[in-house]
Amino acid sequence: MRVLVTGAAGFIGYHTSLYLLNRGDKVIGIDSLNDYYDPSLKEARLEELKNNPNSNHFKFYKVNLANPVELENIFAQHSFDRVIHLAAQAGVRYSLENPLAYVESNINGFVNLLEECRHNSIEHLTYASTSSVYGANTTMPFSELNGADHPLQFYAATKKANELMAHSYSHLYKMPTSGLRFFTVYGPWGRPDMALFLFTKNILEGKPIQVFNNGNHTRDFTYIDDIVEGVVRVSDIPAKINPKWDSFKPSPASSNCPYQILNIGNNSPVKLSEYIEAIEDSLGMKAIQEKLPLQEGDVPDTYADVSALMNLSGYKPTTTVQQGVHNFVQWFKDYYKIKNDD
């Protein structure tokens, strides 16, 4: 299989590229390597891919999706079977500060990719959405069959826009598209702006950690390997027309064109305070906690209904938070060369 992975130097893109290489696929990775967070971590991920035993099947290009000429050149040089789109301007809080960065990457970049997929007859476009699209919806667990029309911040709004844009291309050009709503992804090689990374770093340095909503909100924390397994399984099954789709009672998760929306979550929400305890247990250290109210744009709870993913692929995430956090802490200590006290 020849697969284009966008955001290949990113957290999820790196792990997805690694998975595909290890099973023998040819991977073309692209990434803009922007400085939203330390680019040295992105470079280190790329080095891991370039040092992989199957690295002869990997090629990387520094490309900005918002530049249609750069993207067109990549498609002109290679013939892809599938596209897995994981590049995005991520981060809920940063979207409050710099919404235009989200327009450039998540809107302009995505439409450029849709155009290339359309003109190059891509068999299947699989792209990352987010659980944040559920926004003001408080019906638990979150189901793709429920509405997601009230995002609470601009990042979520751009991801919901991606889902709508993908539907239009699926309808107009019969292009199979699958949108995957990720639920709080964590694990080794994770982003430095995410809670697990920040908490681990501060605890080790004896600094306080900021605990929003006094630690009372819940998240469906989903381990990176589980996310990648779901992404690749869905990518391997191009979206199809739903023959039972009813225009009088339209399902938001499928259509009368090859389009689908799927949750990928652990289906087991955990309180933030318990997540912190798992970090403390793995580190053998207690956190100094600065309790704060819920931040603007955050949702109190997330909980994924993954029945659609199971029905399609026979798969659901299984990694416990305790195991996943332990794996991250071990990676963090190795990467930053932190010696264990024992």
Side-chain angles (χ1 to χ4, degrees), residues 290-319:
E290 180 186 355
K291 299 292 182 70
L292 297 166
L294 191 69
Q295 259 202 324
E296 190 68 31
D298 276 355
V299 297
D301 305 291
T302 65
Y303 178 11
D305 178 343
V306 294
S307 55
L309 176 67
M310 290 179 64
N311 290 338
L312 176 73
S313 68
Y315 177 74
K316 68 171 288 189
T318 58
T319 306

Side-chain angles (χ1 to χ4, degrees), residues 53-215:
N54 297 318
S55 60
N56 59 315
H57 288 163
F58 178 71
K59 198 168 184 64
F60 175 77
Y61 297 89
K62 184 178 178 181
V63 170
N64 188 340
L65 289 175
N67 185 323
V69 176
E70 290 183 9
L71 192 59
E72 184 179 356
N73 288 339
I74 296 298
F75 276 83
Q77 292 178 57
H78 301 276
S79 178
F80 302 115
D81 298 304
R82 309 275 166 80
V83 172
I84 298 178
H85 175 53
L86 301 169
Q89 177 56 62
V92 169
R93 288 164 194 146
Y94 187 58
S95 71
L96 305 180
E97 303 169 23
N98 189 6
L100 293 182
Y102 292 74
V103 173
E104 177 180 323
S105 180
N106 301 2
I107 303 297
N108 297 344
F110 191 62
V111 75
N112 290 339
L113 187 67
L114 287 170
E115 276 290 280
E116 291 304 320
C117 289
R118 164 200 171 191
H119 289 297
N120 289 276
S121 301
I122 297 302
E123 293 176 6
H124 192 198
L125 167 64
T126 305
Y127 62 94
S129 186
T130 174
S131 62
S132 295
V133 299
Y134 288 106
N137 179 3
T138 56
T139 303
M140 296 289 172
F142 290 150
S143 168
E144 307 93 333
L145 299 177
N146 294 336
D149 298 319
H150 300 89
L152 298 182
Q153 17 74 16
F154 192 63
Y155 165 65
T158 63
K159 287 298 193 176
K160 178 63 177 178
N162 286 173
E163 296 178 0
L164 299 174
M165 293 158 72
H167 184 272
S168 69
Y169 272 69
S170 293
H171 172 74
L172 290 169
Y173 310 113
K174 311 309 176 195
M175 187 174 84
T177 65
S178 294
L180 305 178
R181 292 174 178 169
F182 297 156
F183 282 69
T184 314
V185 190
Y186 73 100
W189 295 97
R191 297 199 331 253
D193 63 316
M194 296 189 73
L196 180 54
F197 200 111
L198 291 169
F199 288 174
T200 300
K201 182 175 183 292
N202 281 16
I203 292 170
L204 283 168
E205 294 176 358
K207 297 177 180 177
I209 62 171
Q210 293 186 324
V211 182
F212 293 101
N213 199 33
N214 298 306

Side-chain angles (χ1 to χ4, degrees), residues 211-329:
V211 182
F212 293 101
N213 199 33
N214 298 306
N216 292 321
H217 57 280
T218 60
R219 289 287 179 271
D220 207 345
F221 295 103
T222 313
Y223 189 61
I224 183 61
D225 289 358
D226 292 336
I227 287 285
V228 171
E229 184 71 33
V231 167
V232 175
R233 286 195 185 213
V234 172
S235 176
D236 286 343
I237 309 170
K240 297 179 176 64
I241 293 169
N242 178 1
K244 297 181 180 179
W245 194 80
D246 184 351
S247 61
F248 291 99
K249 296 178 181 179
S251 164
S254 61
S255 189
N256 58 354
C257 60
Y259 166 91
Q260 62 185 352
I261 298 294
L262 296 160
N263 290 333
I264 301 185
N266 207 42
N267 190 231
S268 181
V270 171
K271 214 171 181 181
L272 180 59
S273 57
E274 295 174 28
Y275 192 59
I276 294 169
E277 287 173 10
I279 302 170
E280 292 174 328
D281 289 344
S282 292
L283 289 172
M285 299 174 67
K286 284 291 183 183
I288 305 166
Q289 299 189 28
E290 180 186 355
K291 299 292 182 70
L292 297 166
L294 191 69
Q295 259 202 324
E296 190 68 31
D298 276 355
V299 297
D301 305 291
T302 65
Y303 178 11
D305 178 343
V306 294
S307 55
L309 176 67
M310 290 179 64
N311 290 338
L312 176 73
S313 68
Y315 177 74
K316 68 171 288 189
T318 58
T319 306
T320 65
V321 159
Q322 288 74 19
Q323 183 61 55
V325 166
H326 175 76
N327 293 349
F328 172 83
V329 167

Side-chain angles (χ1 to χ4, degrees), residues 200 204 279-285 326-342:
T200 300
L204 283 168
I279 302 170
E280 292 174 328
D281 289 344
S282 292
L283 289 172
M285 299 174 67
H326 175 76
N327 293 349
F328 172 83
V329 167
Q330 291 305 115
W331 167 81
F332 188 94
K333 287 183 173 181
D334 289 343
Y335 184 76
Y336 289 103
K337 297 179 173 56
I338 299 168
K339 294 181 180 179
N340 292 318
D341 292 337
D342 55 1

